[in-house]
Structures are given as C-alpha cells and as structure tokens.
Amino acid sequence: MGRAPCCDKANVKKGPWSPEEDATLKAYIEENGTGGNWIALPQKIGLKRCGKSCRLRWLNYLRPNIKHGGFSEEEDNIICNLYISIGSRWSIIAAQLPGRTDNDIKNYWNTRLKKKLLGRRKQSGTNRGSQDLMKDASDDAHQALSSSALERLQLHMQLQNLQNPFSFYNNPALWPKLHPFQEKMIQTVQSMNDQNCSNPLMMQQFALPNHDQTVQGHNVNDLLYEQTTGASLAIEEQYAKLCINPKMAELENALNGMSSSFISTSNPVDSTIVAAKADGIEQQSQGMFQDYELGYNL
DNA sequence: AACACTACCAACCGCATCAGA
DNA sequence: ATCTGATGCGGTTGGTAGTGT
C-alpha cells in the first residue's frame, strides 16, 4: 500500500530553484500570502513544484529577515546549550534565534559547530590510539545509544571544565558503583586496549542512558544541562549518580521538587523550551525504568 | 592540469501531528 | 471516534565549490 504521494511526482520539477521561480513565489506570497494551502499554491501560480518544496523554499530562503551564515559566538552558545538540553529539536532552537531557520541551524550544527566543539576534546587528548579504540568499542557496545546522546554527553562533559580538580569527574572516589553489566563492558574494552585507557570520562559514557531517557521522571539531560548552568556541586554529584546508576532512584525523594523548581526558574530560554522539557519528562519517565530493569536482569 | 577528497548547504523524503469533515 | 489531507519536522542525500596531492 504505502502512503499516497503529496503531489504528482512525474510533473514536478526537482532540484535547485531558478531566480525566476524564486521571484514568482516571492511576489505571489508577498501579495497574497500562502492562502493557507501550500499544496494548491504552485498550481495557482504556474510553478511546476511540489507544495512542500514551495513551503520549504519560502521558509528557508525567500521570506524576509532571513540571515544566512555568519553565526556569532553568542548564537553558537545558544545552539550548543539548547542542543545539550533538548536535543535535535531544530525548530525550537531556531525559535530562539531570530532570522535563523531550523534547516540552517541543523546544517551549521552538523557541518561545523559539532566538529568545532567535539573536535576540541579529541585534539587535546594525548593518546589518540586509546581514544579511538574506546570510541570504536563504545560504538559497538552501545549501538542503542544514539549519536545525538553521545554528542550531547561529550559536549556536556566539556562544559564541565574538566580541568577543575574539584569536579565530580575528576574525583573517582565520588563515583557511584557501576552496574555489573557496565563493569563487564568496561573490562572488555580495557582488554582491547593494551595501554592505560583509564580515562574515566569515557567510562562514564558507557554508563549513561539515552538522551531522552529519564530517571524517576527527571530527564537526564535536563539534569546535565542544569549542571552546566550553575547547579551546586552537591546537586551535580547527586544528578551524576542518577545518570550512572539507575538503582540510585531512591534519591528521588531527596530530589523531589528540585526538578520542577529548576525547570521553572533556572533555564534562561522561553516557555517553549520549558514546555518541551516538561513534555519529555512526562512522556518518557515510564520507559526509562522498564529499559533499565530489562538491562539489569540480563 | 587533473584528480581525489572534504566541507558545505539546498533540497528532498518520509514520518508524525494537526485540523477539519 | 474515525478518517483523510495538509502541514511541520528532522534525517538524509546529492550537487557544487574549495582544497590538497
């Protein structure tokens, strides 16, 4: 069966837009608006284009006040923070950056910003061989962990100021006990690596859950995001424990009320973000523990 | 000069959600 | 409550320009 196509593919032009097409579309929309019907629009103005294509062209390129390229440092920071916080919800991120489109931000992230930020840590490493091995092993062992989650975790850790001797991540004594399954995975990886690959940060990656998962209703990356935006060291440690060890859920009582207060007060962006966070927490709190219980019982 | 490789970005595709009948 | 078409969104692809060999 399959879904019916949105337009007659055979009679629709694809590929780059010509200046004439741009002018036709722009002139019509500026004069009449979209009429609330993108599908009918191209036929109305004599364009051999799919309605979706017209919409995309208008939103991403033709509409007024669009900015292309030249992202500022401030915009980089906003994108980075929001990505860590809510993931690849480009439309929400774009809503925080006037003149930017979701497509533009997505492209910018995927082609430049991600490399700029994640590349920094790789370059600063002294043992590339170990890191590569660890990365490969991580890829194999954690196929289920989305690349988005890994990126966000890597970014988060960078933002933790890893050189800080008082950082949670630089105090192994503070780390919670790992799950036996996680221990085993780490041993496997270590055996693959003849050098000392005891980088605790990589180890932490094995233990951290998917970016959209939650611990007893606390969205993991919301918690991580709060760490990056000034939560106290004590709270940071508690949250880190929550991320790493699902059995630490009894901490929930102690943390009760904390998540709702930080979501409502400490996030600098608008209510859209707050709503997105709340939505994620609400929807995913159930699945997280089922997943972990399954994993724990393996 | 020619080829290979990489980076960038516009556009496409398919799925999810929304809105109205 | 259900169905259907329109719209929105995010992942992916393909073309092109730039750079290296």
Side-chain angles (χ1 to χ4, degrees):
Chain A
M1 272 285 280
R3 188 187 175 85
C6 67
C7 52
D8 181 4
K9 305 270 181 196
N11 294 315
V12 158
K13 185 185 169 193
K14 289 164 85 171
W17 280 64
S18 68
E20 292 77 26
E21 288 176 310
D22 280 348
T24 305
L25 181 62
K26 194 162 187 251
Y28 181 84
I29 294 178
E30 282 176 349
E31 181 79 20
N32 307 290
T34 64
N37 189 344
W38 285 107
I39 300 296
L41 191 144
Q43 222 170 8
K44 212 182 290 181
I45 60 177
L47 281 180
K48 286 188 184 314
R49 290 278 179 176
C50 170
K52 286 174 80 168
S53 178
C54 292
R55 175 185 162 271
L56 213 59
R57 185 66 180 170
W58 170 256
L59 291 177
N60 288 340
Y61 197 81
L62 297 175
R63 79 184 148 103
N65 304 321
I66 290 284
K67 279 192 277 181
H68 287 290
F71 281 80
S72 67
E73 194 76 20
E74 191 188 351
E75 285 175 313
D76 286 2
N77 288 337
I78 292 171
I79 294 168
C80 182
N81 280 334
L82 288 177
Y83 184 84
I84 291 168
S85 179
I86 62 174
S88 57
R89 297 189 209 184
W90 303 116
S91 60
I92 295 175
I93 295 173
Q96 308 305 313
L97 300 170
R100 300 294 186 188
T101 69
D102 54 356
N103 205 38
D104 241 11
I105 293 170
K106 179 175 59 182
N107 282 333
Y108 180 57
W109 172 264
N110 285 331
T111 59
R112 287 193 265 178
L113 193 53
K114 183 168 73 178
K115 289 171 193 165
K116 182 174 150 190
L117 295 166
L118 295 178
R120 203 182 292 156
R121 189 171 65 86
K122 284 178 183 168
Q123 282 158 17
S124 68
T126 55
N127 189 346
R128 286 286 300 137
S130 295
Q131 287 200 352
D132 288 344
L133 263 178
M134 292 291 285
K135 185 183 178 300
D136 293 344
S138 170
D139 289 346
D140 291 343
H142 269 241
Q143 285 179 332
L145 189 61
S146 74
S147 59
S148 166
L150 282 174
E151 284 164 20
R152 294 167 74 197
L153 289 165
Q154 287 172 329
L155 283 169
H156 156 69
M157 288 187 289
Q158 281 182 211
L159 293 172
Q160 282 287 328
N161 183 8
L162 300 176
Q163 304 313 311
N164 177 2
F166 302 108
S167 160
F168 172 80
Y169 294 105
N170 284 329
N171 286 279
L174 297 175
W175 300 346
K177 194 172 177 293
L178 289 173
H179 186 286
F181 183 69
Q182 296 163 340
E183 296 272 19
K184 195 177 175 186
M185 209 172 343
I186 290 166
Q187 280 168 15
T188 306
V189 172
Q190 277 179 327
S191 71
M192 291 165 60
N193 192 351
D194 55 355
Q195 305 212 16
N196 67 352
C197 61
S198 57
N199 180 347
L201 302 173
M202 293 300 292
M203 298 305 177
Q204 296 301 319
Q205 287 189 10
F206 287 102
L208 287 159
N210 187 290
H211 72 282
D212 276 336
Q213 288 177 325
T214 57
V215 176
Q216 291 283 40
H218 300 270
N219 183 290
V220 164
N221 274 284
D222 286 342
L223 306 184
L224 294 177
Y225 178 74
E226 288 313 310
Q227 292 173 26
T228 70
T229 54
S232 72
L233 185 61
I235 292 173
E236 174 186 310
E237 286 168 13
Q238 299 287 31
Y239 284 178
K241 284 176 186 173
L242 272 175
C243 295
I244 293 161
N245 187 337
K247 290 297 174 186
M248 298 294 286
E250 58 267 25
L251 284 173
E252 197 217 3
N253 286 341
L255 296 170
N256 253 347
M258 214 176 268
S259 88
S260 58
S261 64
F262 75 60
I263 284 174
S264 62
T265 61
S266 59
N267 194 328
V269 297
D270 75 13
S271 58
T272 321
I273 308 299
V274 174
K277 285 166 172 281
D279 185 44
I281 288 171
E282 188 64 32
Q283 285 181 9
Q284 292 148 16
S285 58
Q286 203 65 36
M288 167 75 177
F289 270 87
Q290 284 169 359
D291 290 350
Y292 265 100
E293 285 304 317
L294 276 173
Y296 198 77
N297 292 328
L298 280 175

